[in-house]
Amino acid sequence: MILILGGTTEGRIAVRTLEEAGKPFYYSTKGDEQEVIMHHGIRLQGAMDELDMERFCRKQSIALIVDAAHPFAEQLHRTVEAVSMKLTLPVIRFERIYPPRDEKNITWCHNFDDAIRQIREQEIFILLALTGVQSIAKLKPLWQENACCYFRILDRESSRRLAAREGFPEEHLHYYHDGEDERHLIQKLHPEAILIKESGRSGGFSEKVEAALAEGIRIFAICRPNMPNSFIPIEGEHGLRRMVEKLLPDFYPLRSGLTTGTCAAAAAVAATWDLFNIQRQSRPKEFPVTLPNGETIFVPVEKQEFFPHSDFLNDDWMMETNASVIKDAGDDPDITNGMEIRANVAVPFRLDDPAPKDTPVDDYTVIVCGGEGVGIVTMPGLGLEVGGPAINDTPRKMIEDNVKRCLKTLRIPKQPNPYAITISVPGGEEIARRTFNPRLGIEGGISIIGTSGIVKPFSSEAFVDSIRKSMEVGRATGSPRIVINSGAKSEKYVRGYYPQLPPQAFIHYGNFIGETIKMAAELNIKALTLGIMMGKAVKLAEGNLDTHSKQVTMNKDFLREIAFTAGCSEDVQTVIEKITLARELWTLLSDNDLRAFCKYLLQLCHRHCDPLLPQGELTILLISEEGEIIT
């Protein structure tokens, strides 16, 4: 069993991530204010001291603890450390993502006592504390001597009681409501300074800083406490799942994997590190990669068998090195699983123009190229330059950003020449012949792809079962509507269309449209929305309820039939002949033709889907790559 210690945004994410396994776990919070919907999780409430936690872990056979509590819950972290050491339990620390510390604009304080000292030294008279109700007691020496100290706290009865117990004046309390802008309160009170905690991205740290800077208010920030060294840090849902899979291999029915884009980024980071490993330090086995959602994971990189080398060409030195990652797709049936993804990093240095020592350690120029086994784009419509490498925008940006981040971490001065990152896949040309790449106009190799950086197990009975579990959780929230969509991109746009729905109401169907709608009918879902993009929509309209590319591809004859029946102009027939992907229709058709085409396309989709939900109402949203929605 797994025990999650939550009460935070990270706790909710941890619950959602563990729910995917379909197995029981415990979720513990100190109070009862946080609302968390769980189908398999077991809720615990009330604080546990060391003895209580030890007894509980022994009795319930806890094999793993996930500490997703607030970073400033120091006593709880110490308790977890003591229990884990005594019972030899691994602890995953679900850490927040923290922006870099800006020494120029913020006065950093080691703890609350240090904050009191520095605020006194700077003679701050009017102070607004955004540090939470628990900090009223810790800052008591300050507000007892200062008549103009304000606290903003959550609008809860328990918070009011705690403030009253400490004797804090009610008139100096201000209550926080979801979505409230800190700037409004600052403009109302006109404080000389604000006091905040280093609470990370999910704690609104950056928003508080920006609000204060916009009003010219000084900022005091209390540094987050250090976590025990024995804790295993992760930063998000992907890192949590991968670590649970590593520590408890049997918890998830299927193992997640990495996209080719993530593998390429990790190889590029490792090669960059190798290039500047002048001290010949021990090389890590894993290197950090920041995913598109902002969290950082660590990716295993192959052992380096040679050191960086330099070639003298005319008046230049060319420094370069290589690094490789073996693609691990988890339990997803991916044709590239086990392939080597290699990155070469090269940068020329002029002997007569060395970079000055005081050059800023940022603003690097990084160019991403394709090498052996990476396909070349030969046709328009993929959103990539014709003649360029088949490296999609998201992985390209991942490679660029992660290499820049590595250079900055290593404090490498900016060079006058760009860093050239060449991605290659030995054997990629042969593998690509067994894919649809040649049909899409990608010749000579595979594509470097991936929008999230992580591959979740896809075409299997377990994935379909996970859809059912997610829908059961969504129904349990009492949401008036369940929204099914193919993945992260379409979900982002559909969430904007239904901003009032809870997160659990949005469910990924992958390609299993028919199965998912049937589940909704079995669960008596009365209002269901299907979000779908053009590529899947044209497959669905032809009657393909499983839209996986291995099952069905775009049928141009069928597209011509839709255009003819919809009354589109004759020009549309010519456009269809030239396209590589169905999504090109969004930009190549005139407004009138597009509306007519989409209207009939949606009618066909309803024709196949509506009978699967006989007792409910089905709404279908057709979504463009830029988020335009047609109903």
Side-chain angles (χ1 to χ4, degrees):
M1 287 286 278
I2 298 176
L3 170 63
I4 303 175
L5 302 168
T8 56
T9 299
E10 291 71 31
R12 282 197 177 99
I13 297 173
V15 165
R16 187 175 70 224
T17 304
L18 265 59
E19 283 281 341
E20 294 174 356
K23 294 180 179 178
F25 60 90
Y26 290 99
Y27 183 67
S28 174
T29 58
K30 183 178 180 180
D32 59 358
E33 288 92 353
Q34 187 184 38
E35 294 184 7
V36 179
I37 303 298
M38 296 182 293
H39 186 72
H40 300 284
I42 303 166
R43 183 69 179 265
L44 305 174
Q45 294 175 0
M48 286 191 282
D49 60 21
E50 184 177 330
L51 184 58
D52 292 333
M53 189 176 293
E54 179 185 346
R55 286 173 175 168
F56 178 83
C57 290
R58 288 184 185 277
K59 182 179 179 180
Q60 303 301 332
S61 300
I62 299 298
L64 172 66
I65 297 176
V66 178
D67 182 352
H70 196 282
F72 282 79
E74 296 179 72
Q75 180 57 56
L76 177 58
H77 304 317
R78 288 193 292 268
T79 298
V80 173
E81 180 185 27
V83 172
S84 66
M85 296 294 285
K86 185 176 294 186
L87 302 182
T88 63
L89 293 176
V91 178
I92 298 175
R93 169 58 191 166
F94 197 136
E95 195 56 276
R96 297 183 174 187
I97 298 174
Y98 297 96
R101 291 178 181 172
D102 187 347
E103 304 293 342
K104 298 178 182 178
N105 298 320
I106 299 175
T107 300
W108 288 95
C109 311
H110 298 301
N111 48 42
F112 282 94
D113 290 338
D114 188 37
I116 293 173
R117 179 186 63 79
Q118 294 203 60
I119 290 170
R120 284 170 172 168
E121 287 180 355
Q122 295 193 33
E123 298 181 344
I124 301 299
F125 181 66
I126 306 176
L127 177 73
L128 171 59
L130 303 174
T131 48
V133 70
Q134 298 288 344
S135 64
I136 290 179
K138 297 176 181 179
L139 295 171
K140 199 165 189 176
L142 189 65
W143 57 261
Q144 281 186 327
E145 69 187 36
N146 188 339
C148 287
C149 188
Y150 300 93
F151 277 83
R152 189 192 66 176
I153 64 175
L154 291 173
D155 191 7
R156 294 174 178 169
E157 186 58 36
S158 59
S159 297
R160 293 187 181 87
R161 287 197 302 268
L162 199 154
R165 190 173 67 203
E166 295 298 331
F168 189 80
E170 166 69 24
E171 62 271 19
H172 283 185
L173 288 175
H174 293 269
Y175 299 102
Y176 173 77
H177 301 277
D178 286 342
E180 182 182 42
D181 187 347
E182 283 85 1
R183 193 169 177 180
H184 294 157
L185 183 58
I186 291 174
Q187 290 173 339
K188 176 181 177 181
L189 298 177
H190 301 291
E192 297 172 277
I194 66 168
L195 176 64
I196 59 178
K197 294 188 291 191
E198 190 181 14
S199 54
R201 189 169 70 179
S202 64
F205 179 85
S206 297
E207 291 80 359
K208 295 168 187 174
V209 170
E210 290 170 6
L213 292 177
E215 297 299 318
I217 304 300
R218 279 181 280 180
I219 304 167
F220 294 83
I222 300 172
C223 299
R224 66 185 186 273
N226 294 325
M227 290 292 160
N229 292 330
S230 60
F231 287 11
I232 305 168
I234 57 93
E235 289 183 347
E237 58 183 309
H238 301 311
L240 175 60
R241 173 157 181 163
R242 284 174 59 79
M243 191 55 65
V244 171
E245 289 171 348
K246 180 178 180 180
L247 298 172
L248 299 181
D250 296 331
F251 186 74
Y252 287 96
L254 292 175
R255 192 169 56 86
S256 62
L258 303 174
T259 63
T260 51
T262 297
C263 295
V269 169
T272 303
W273 188 91
D274 290 334
L275 191 67
F276 295 100
N277 186 19
I278 301 172
Q279 303 296 328
R280 297 291 185 265
Q281 299 174 7
S282 177
R283 188 177 192 256
K285 294 180 179 179
E286 298 181 329
F287 283 83
V289 173
T290 300
L291 301 175
N293 70 350
E295 70 170 292
T296 298
I297 64 171
F298 284 82
V299 178
V301 177
E302 291 299 283
K303 183 179 179 181
Q304 177 69 294
E305 297 180 353
F306 53 89
F307 291 108
H309 69 275
S310 303
D311 292 325
F312 180 69
L313 299 172
N314 300 322
D315 293 328
D316 294 343
W317 279 98
M318 174 65 76
M319 295 180 59
E320 63 175 332
T321 191
N322 298 288
S324 298
V325 170
I326 301 302
K327 168 70 178 287
D328 178 7
D331 288 327
D332 189 68
D334 189 326
I335 196 171
T336 63
N337 186 49
M339 297 194 71
E340 178 188 2
I341 312 295
R342 182 185 299 168
N344 172 276
V345 178
V347 60
F349 290 86
R350 288 193 61 83
L351 296 179
D352 57 354
D353 187 23
K357 292 183 179 179
D358 59 350
T359 301
V361 289
D362 54 13
D363 194 27
Y364 307 98
T365 302
V366 175
I367 299 173
V368 180
C369 314
E372 172 196 0
V374 173
I376 300 297
V377 179
T378 64
M379 297 171 61
L382 295 172
L384 298 173
E385 181 183 0
V386 174
I391 303 176
N392 287 7
D393 290 342
T394 298
R396 181 184 296 274
K397 190 172 189 308
M398 279 180 64
I399 295 166
E400 292 174 356
D401 290 350
N402 278 283
V403 166
K404 291 178 181 180
R405 192 173 289 109
C406 179
L407 291 168
K408 189 170 184 179
T409 300
L410 295 172
R411 300 195 64 80
I412 304 302
K414 179 184 176 183
Q415 305 298 331
N417 298 302
Y419 292 82
I421 315 294
T422 302
I423 305 301
S424 58
V425 184
E429 183 173 3
E430 179 183 352
I431 288 291
R433 296 192 187 102
R434 309 206 304 261
T435 71
F436 287 109
N437 272 12
R439 193 178 302 180
L440 299 176
I442 298 173
E443 302 290 346
I446 68 168
S447 305
I448 305 299
I449 59 175
T451 54
S452 68
I454 296 294
V455 177
K456 285 194 175 181
F458 194 68
S459 50
S460 68
E461 181 181 347
F463 181 79
V464 174
D465 191 46
S466 72
I467 298 174
R468 179 181 297 276
K469 293 181 176 69
S470 297
M471 193 168 291
E472 289 171 346
V473 172
R475 182 185 63 171
T477 66
S479 174
R481 177 175 296 274
I482 296 297
V483 182
I484 59 175
N485 41 266
S486 60
K489 180 184 287 187
S490 58
E491 179 176 327
K492 179 178 71 173
Y493 298 135
V494 177
R495 279 189 182 229
Y497 195 83
Y498 293 112
Q500 75 282 6
L501 297 182
Q504 295 84 358
F506 298 87
I507 296 160
H508 292 189
Y509 58 73
N511 285 297
F512 300 105
I513 298 174
E515 291 280 355
T516 305
I517 297 175
K518 290 176 184 177
M519 290 177 198
E522 292 169 6
L523 294 173
N524 200 29
I525 303 295
K526 296 300 184 184
L528 182 72
T529 291
L530 166 64
I532 192 167
M533 302 186 95
M534 185 69 80
K536 292 185 187 298
V538 297
K539 297 175 184 178
L540 177 62
E542 197 175 4
N544 299 293
L545 297 173
D546 178 351
T547 58
H548 197 288
S549 60
K550 291 182 180 179
Q551 303 293 333
V552 59
T553 57
M554 181 180 66
N555 183 345
K556 287 190 177 182
D557 290 336
F558 180 64
L559 291 182
R560 295 188 190 97
E561 181 182 332
I562 293 176
F564 177 79
T565 307
C568 297
S569 66
E570 293 184 2
D571 295 340
V572 175
Q573 301 294 332
T574 305
V575 169
I576 291 173
E577 184 61 35
K578 294 180 179 179
I579 64 172
T580 305
L581 299 173
R583 69 186 185 197
E584 296 174 72
L585 296 172
W586 282 103
T587 55
L588 296 179
L589 298 187
S590 68
D591 287 344
N592 289 337
D593 282 337
L594 179 64
R595 295 292 167 181
F597 183 92
C598 291
K599 181 179 179 181
Y600 186 57
L601 179 69
L602 286 170
Q603 288 179 16
L604 293 176
C605 290
H606 273 287
R607 182 180 300 173
H608 296 295
C609 293
D610 286 354
L612 304 179
L613 192 73
Q615 304 302 319
E617 169 241 333
L618 177 65
T619 300
I620 302 180
L621 305 180
L622 185 60
I623 309 165
S624 77
E625 296 293 316
E626 287 71 38
E628 180 184 354
I629 292 178
I630 294 179
T631 60

